[in-house]
Amino acid sequence: MAVNIDELKQLSMIDVAESLGMELKRQSGHTYYWTEHDSLKILANTNRFHWFSRDVGGDVIQLVQSVKDVSFKEAVRFLQEGTFSQVENEMIEPVKQEPFSYVLQPYEHPDFELGRNYLKEERGLTDDTINTFLAGGNLAEATRKKGDYFEPIIVFKYRGLDGKIQGASLQGIVENKVQYPKRGRLKQIMNHSDGLAGFSFDVGTPKRLVFFEAPIDLMSYYELKKDTLQDVRLVSMDGLKKGVISRYTADLLTDGKFSQANSYTSILKALDSLNKTTKLITDDLITIAVDNDKEALKFIEKLKEDNIPFQIDLAPKSDGVKKMDWNEYLQKEKAGEKKMPGEKTSEVIQKKQEKLQEERNLERTRDSDGDGLTDELEKSIGTNPYNSDTDGDGLTDSQEVAMGTNPLKPNPLSKELTTDQLTQLPTLSELIQAKDTKGLSKIMKEGIKDYFNSDQYKNYLEAISKLPSYSANNVMLLLSQNSEVSMVASFKKWQSDFERSVKKGQKALWIFAPYEFKLRDNNGQYKVNENGEIEKGIGFKLVPVFDVSQTQGKEIPQAVYELTDEGKIFDYETLYRALKSVSDDNKVAMHFQEIDSGARGFYNRETNEIAIKRGMTKAQTIKTIIHEMAHSELHNNKIVAEAGEKLTRSTKELQAESVAFVVSNHYGIDTSEYSFAYLANWAKDKESLTDLEAQLSIVQKEASQLIKKVDLKLEKIKTLNLTKDKTKESVFHEKLNRFKEKQSIQEKNKEPKKAKGISI
């Protein structure tokens, strides 16, 4: 009579465990553990078990197989009759094993960057070893999805001699105590993997076998002994499995044909059969290099009881140490290499662990794309740590996580958010705290609309005059955090360049800083240009700076552009010379003339000349010169031809007068009284000033460039004046010395001559 497998699986696992002689204790609720191996847990409510130390689990049949190391048929016989005696093949319906499918192929990463970093930093492996295994084709990095949780993983593939993937074990890269409270990282075998296969690696032409409990132990063993390994196949059992030893031993002796031609049961029995009927199984054929712990030693004793000849190669451990695997031993050896004379190995290991912990803490806080989610978190959920909006739907990854939407899938509602939803989005301070660059950009873009309705524009231009090297976005962002901002630098720059320190308790101001990243196509591959070089893009992240008012220390040196005379009057002549020199360099002639139209000056595009009205105040003259110079650079014939109708008169006047105000203010000339009255007229043309964000950027860029050019001229003029002063001083002193010498000679000539002879 055929056996009904499904009915057997319904047997109580608690009862089956007790019939196997397993002493169970309740851990909590429906969970029990085996007192002899406390990592074996039984879940009574689901009637399933999991043996964590061996990473196996399943139903009652698999429990019997795992605990007693017997075949499927023997386990079924036990559940039927309470005995492990052999049964006839026809008594059991064949089990339909679902074929293994490697579903992670589309999600493999083109590089092995994260996996390499984990194996090097966490496991102590070298690039040479990692590259060797990558070349074997059975090591990969991929993204794994479980529900809404995404994480990067290392894949150790089980590949048959025919090249087909028969299974795989997975190792998590990112630590996550929530998902994996016991281990901290994922460690599991993929569903439907061949239970008698494992991750393997050949050195030369294999003539012997070495078996390990885990792939990383296998790689660590290779790292330690690669200089002496010859003609050997290294095999990971992913636990302690005699069946894996049986399969790979039979395959080695038959050039891989045995497992392809025989049944599961035959493969399980192959090792014992070969040992009993042939002399092929010798002690130099098999080496057991499992963990040096209680469980592995029991496994070794059982192999000895079965009279299987083999060698033992366990990782050395000190007295009192309960467990030592090959990866732990590798890290211990590497720590020992770096220890100082007289320093204990345990102390070295502790110091190394402390250093690694510091590096991990820094790594956990890194946020490369500035979206408020750490790189580590982004890698774990599958978003791009170098792109603040992975799915490109207009909402940053951090906003989507906060809203509960999927950051990997474009959100169709992103463009249809209601007013209530918008008010629930983070505030400016929250966005800065979250380092949400895209969210900040959106808020500032909306804020630009208010610039002509208040004093904001004036404040903005004044800020540009103080911070000419910063972009329009950064100036607006700084103003939103500190309306009195005047001079900013990083914490280190204040110390190194200005010998000043940030006052205790000061909060940083945040600005955008560019960073470079590699571009990928829709398939996740790096984009390559015609020269075979990887194309790169520019992104922005938030970095901290501090205003001068937040610092203390050495007095700030006077800048070359501070042209006031003890704060009373600016140096008109010097500034005029610098501006005219810049205009001459641009091949734009400048002259003064009478202008009857009421204009203070104009730029003639046809003749490429600037005319300035005579008789104005010094401040008005300088401001007008700068205004017309801005026209000459922004609105010459070439620029106007390229811009076409887009460059209206309103736009041109807004740009030129704004630049004039910024540059004048930079050099200590207050022109706000007439600049903003002038701007008010042009600002009424709202249709011509629709793209305010672009206008602000143009104003900032032109003002910044003009200030740099003028500063260079001022520096030269200042140096020249000093040289002239020194020259004049030298000439004066030379004449004075000659005069003194002449006077001395004359004085000597006037002295009366003494008579010759003896004085009495």
Side-chain angles (χ1 to χ4, degrees):
M1 180 179 177
V3 177
N4 190 319
I5 300 299
D6 289 333
E7 288 184 3
L8 289 179
K9 290 181 179 180
Q10 301 304 315
L11 294 173
S12 168
M13 188 166 289
I14 300 295
D15 293 340
V16 171
E18 290 177 349
S19 67
L20 289 170
M22 299 169 61
E23 182 184 351
L24 301 179
K25 285 192 176 181
R26 186 191 298 271
Q27 180 172 320
S28 62
H30 300 286
T31 305
Y32 295 79
Y33 68 92
W34 185 12
T35 56
E36 187 175 338
H37 298 283
D38 59 6
S39 68
L40 190 153
K41 313 288 184 183
I42 293 177
L43 302 176
N45 58 330
T46 61
N47 208 42
R48 296 183 70 81
F49 83 100
H50 194 91
W51 198 338
F52 288 94
S53 65
R54 301 188 182 184
D55 203 19
V56 295
D59 54 38
V60 291
I61 299 176
Q62 291 164 311
L63 175 69
V64 177
Q65 285 182 275
S66 300
V67 173
K68 293 299 183 180
D69 193 21
V70 296
S71 68
F72 179 84
K73 293 178 182 178
E74 289 175 313
V76 169
R77 180 72 176 186
F78 173 81
L79 292 174
Q80 273 194 307
E81 303 177 6
T83 176
F84 289 109
S85 59
Q86 293 289 335
V87 294
E88 297 297 325
N89 290 341
E90 62 269 20
M91 291 184 65
I92 301 179
E93 295 176 349
V95 179
K96 294 181 180 179
Q97 177 72 26
E98 188 172 338
F100 175 76
S101 175
Y102 183 58
V103 296
L104 291 174
Q105 185 66 48
Y107 309 103
E108 284 192 1
H109 302 174
D111 55 38
F112 195 71
E113 183 179 355
L114 299 177
R116 182 183 297 276
N117 185 66
Y118 170 76
L119 292 176
K120 287 174 64 177
E121 301 300 325
E122 301 283 341
R123 297 296 192 165
L125 298 173
T126 61
D127 280 317
D128 180 62
T129 292
I130 296 169
N131 291 337
T132 299
F133 279 84
L134 283 172
N138 295 331
L139 187 64
E141 179 186 308
T143 296
R144 173 181 178 268
K145 177 181 181 295
K146 184 178 181 181
D148 293 330
Y149 181 64
F150 296 80
E151 66 176 319
I153 56 170
I154 297 174
V155 183
F156 299 96
K157 301 175 185 177
Y158 312 163
R159 198 182 295 271
L161 295 181
D162 58 358
K164 293 181 180 179
I165 301 176
Q166 300 173 333
S169 59
L170 311 178
Q171 170 66 55
I173 294 174
V174 178
E175 187 177 33
N176 188 328
K177 290 289 187 181
V178 176
Q179 289 284 334
Y180 313 107
K182 185 169 183 178
R183 293 179 179 272
R185 286 182 173 86
L186 169 75
K187 186 175 181 182
Q188 74 171 49
I189 299 172
M190 287 187 70
N191 289 337
H192 310 302
S193 292
D194 187 336
L196 299 180
F199 176 72
S200 63
F201 182 77
D202 290 356
V203 179
T205 303
K207 296 177 182 177
R208 64 188 186 92
L209 299 158
V210 183
F211 293 93
F212 306 87
E213 286 192 44
I216 290 179
D217 289 326
L218 182 157
M219 294 180 71
S220 302
Y221 185 89
Y222 175 86
E223 177 82 55
L224 288 160
K225 305 195 177 192
K226 56 187 172 184
D227 293 334
T228 58
L229 289 175
Q230 291 182 349
D231 298 334
V232 60
R233 176 169 293 153
L234 309 178
V235 183
S236 168
M237 299 182 285
D238 277 306
L240 298 167
K241 303 174 183 176
K242 183 180 176 183
V244 175
I245 299 175
S246 181
R247 180 253 178 89
Y248 280 89
T249 302
D251 275 352
L252 182 67
L253 297 173
T254 61
D255 295 326
K257 297 176 182 178
F258 188 88
S259 62
Q260 295 181 22
N262 289 274
S263 66
Y264 184 90
T265 303
S266 298
I267 296 171
L268 279 173
K269 299 297 182 183
L271 182 62
D272 289 319
S273 298
L274 287 168
N275 187 43
K276 291 176 181 178
T277 60
T278 72
K279 295 182 179 181
L280 297 174
I281 310 298
T282 58
D283 58 5
D284 60 350
L285 178 66
I286 300 171
T287 298
I288 304 299
V290 292
D291 297 351
N292 193 348
D293 63 6
K294 183 179 177 181
E295 311 305 329
L297 292 176
K298 285 185 178 180
F299 177 75
I300 289 172
E301 287 303 313
K302 192 172 188 313
L303 288 177
K304 289 181 178 179
E305 290 173 5
D306 294 337
N307 297 315
I308 305 297
F310 59 89
Q311 294 181 11
I312 301 173
D313 192 1
L314 304 183
K317 68 174 183 177
S318 305
D319 293 338
V321 177
K322 291 184 177 181
K323 177 183 179 295
M324 180 67 67
D325 61 38
W326 283 108
N327 184 250
E328 290 171 331
Y329 182 71
L330 170 66
Q331 296 190 55
K332 179 182 175 183
E333 286 294 293
K334 289 205 167 188
E337 290 174 4
K338 299 177 182 178
K339 68 179 180 179
M340 299 296 290
E343 196 172 24
K344 295 181 180 179
T345 302
S346 59
E347 294 173 346
V348 175
I349 294 174
Q350 183 179 357
K351 288 181 179 179
K352 183 177 180 181
Q353 289 174 338
E354 290 173 352
K355 184 178 180 181
L356 283 173
Q357 188 60 46
E358 290 178 6
E359 293 174 352
R360 288 171 194 161
N361 290 338
L362 288 173
E363 185 65 26
R364 289 190 185 107
T365 60
R366 184 172 296 156
D367 180 13
S368 298
D369 58 7
D371 63 358
L373 302 178
T374 64
D375 289 1
E376 186 175 65
L377 178 58
E378 292 217 56
K379 291 169 186 174
S380 69
I381 64 176
T383 54
N384 187 345
Y386 307 106
N387 182 352
S388 60
D389 183 11
T390 300
D391 56 13
D393 63 357
L395 292 173
T396 66
D397 295 339
S398 60
Q399 283 180 322
E400 294 215 55
V401 169
M403 293 167 63
T405 57
N406 188 349
L408 296 172
K409 184 178 181 181
N411 184 358
L413 299 177
S414 61
K415 298 180 181 179
E416 303 174 8
L417 292 175
T418 65
T419 303
D420 290 339
Q421 287 174 314
L422 286 171
T423 58
Q424 293 173 9
L425 292 177
T427 63
L428 179 66
S429 60
E430 290 171 337
L431 289 170
I432 291 173
Q433 187 175 4
K435 298 185 179 180
D436 187 346
T437 54
K438 185 164 286 188
L440 285 170
S441 296
K442 287 185 178 180
I443 281 187
M444 287 189 294
K445 194 167 185 176
E446 290 297 316
I448 290 172
K449 296 176 182 178
D450 298 327
Y451 268 42
F452 290 107
N453 301 328
S454 65
D455 290 334
Q456 286 189 52
Y457 191 54
K458 178 183 176 183
N459 295 338
Y460 168 73
L461 294 181
E462 286 177 341
I464 286 183
S465 72
K466 299 171 187 174
L467 306 163
S469 60
Y470 289 88
S471 68
N473 273 346
N474 274 334
V475 171
M476 286 187 284
L477 185 55
L478 286 168
L479 278 175
S480 68
Q481 300 169 78
N482 180 356
S483 60
E484 303 297 325
V485 66
S486 61
M487 179 182 181
V488 297
S490 67
F491 187 93
K492 289 184 178 179
K493 194 173 182 67
W494 279 121
Q495 290 181 326
S496 60
D497 292 10
F498 299 98
E499 296 182 37
R500 294 177 69 85
S501 60
V502 176
K503 297 175 184 176
K504 189 175 181 180
Q506 293 295 316
K507 292 184 178 180
L509 307 176
W510 295 87
I511 61 173
F512 294 107
Y515 69 91
E516 201 174 65
F517 62 91
K518 297 176 182 178
L519 295 175
R520 296 178 185 268
D521 57 25
N522 294 332
N523 297 320
Q525 304 292 328
Y526 286 127
K527 290 184 178 180
V528 179
N529 60 23
E530 296 176 353
N531 299 323
E533 300 170 337
I534 295 177
E535 295 183 10
K536 295 181 180 179
I538 299 295
F540 291 88
K541 61 182 178 181
L542 286 170
V543 297
V545 293
F546 296 87
D547 184 60
V548 63
S549 62
Q550 298 175 284
T551 67
Q552 58 189 5
K554 189 176 180 180
E555 186 177 351
I556 301 292
Q558 186 181 37
V560 67
Y561 56 78
E562 293 181 358
L563 301 171
T564 55
D565 179 12
E566 296 182 356
K568 296 178 182 178
I569 184 170
F570 71 93
D571 188 346
Y572 166 80
E573 287 76 13
T574 300
L575 183 54
Y576 169 74
R577 287 174 60 191
L579 288 167
K580 189 173 187 310
S581 181
V582 171
S583 189
D584 290 342
D585 288 347
N586 293 338
K587 295 182 171 51
V588 179
M590 184 189 301
H591 62 270
F592 289 84
Q593 69 177 54
E594 298 294 336
I595 301 177
D596 299 328
S597 64
R600 297 185 177 94
F602 61 85
Y603 165 64
N604 189 325
R605 292 206 320 265
E606 303 307 321
T607 61
N608 200 31
E609 293 179 337
I610 291 174
I612 304 298
K613 182 180 180 179
R614 289 195 181 101
M616 295 188 294
T617 64
K618 292 179 179 180
Q620 182 64 68
T621 299
I622 291 295
K623 194 276 298 183
T624 303
I625 289 173
I626 298 170
H627 179 105
E628 301 307 333
M629 286 179 68
H631 274 309
S632 72
E633 292 209 11
L634 295 173
H635 312 132
N636 54 53
N637 280 337
K638 181 180 178 181
I639 299 296
V640 171
E642 291 175 353
E645 296 179 357
K646 294 180 181 179
L647 202 56
T648 65
R649 189 179 182 193
S650 298
T651 300
K652 289 188 285 187
E653 291 304 321
L654 167 72
Q655 293 174 355
E657 189 63 17
S658 297
V659 170
F661 175 82
V662 170
V663 179
S664 298
N665 198 67
H666 180 76
Y667 294 111
I669 307 169
D670 183 8
T671 66
S672 58
E673 184 176 345
Y674 34 83
S675 281
F676 283 92
Y678 184 86
L679 279 170
N681 293 324
W682 299 113
K684 292 176 183 177
D685 186 3
K686 298 296 184 182
E687 291 185 5
S688 299
L689 302 174
T690 52
D691 193 1
L692 298 179
E693 186 178 21
Q695 304 309 321
L696 296 184
S697 181
I698 291 171
V699 168
Q700 183 277 332
K701 185 176 180 181
E702 174 59 24
S704 176
Q705 290 177 348
L706 186 52
I707 286 170
K708 287 179 182 177
K709 292 177 182 178
V710 174
D711 278 354
L712 285 174
K713 296 296 182 182
L714 290 173
E715 190 67 50
K716 288 182 179 180
I717 293 171
K718 184 178 179 181
T719 303
L720 184 61
N721 287 341
L722 288 173
T723 303
K724 286 181 178 179
D725 289 342
K726 288 181 179 179
T727 303
K728 289 178 181 178
E729 185 178 353
S730 298
V731 172
F732 171 75
H733 282 297
E734 187 178 342
K735 289 182 178 180
L736 180 62
N737 289 334
R738 285 204 302 267
F739 175 76
K740 287 180 178 180
E741 289 176 3
K742 187 176 181 181
Q743 286 290 98
S744 177
I745 293 172
Q746 289 177 350
E747 289 295 330
K748 287 182 180 180
N749 291 336
K750 290 180 180 180
E751 291 179 2
K753 295 181 180 179
K754 295 181 180 180
K756 294 181 179 179
I758 301 173
S759 299
I760 299 176

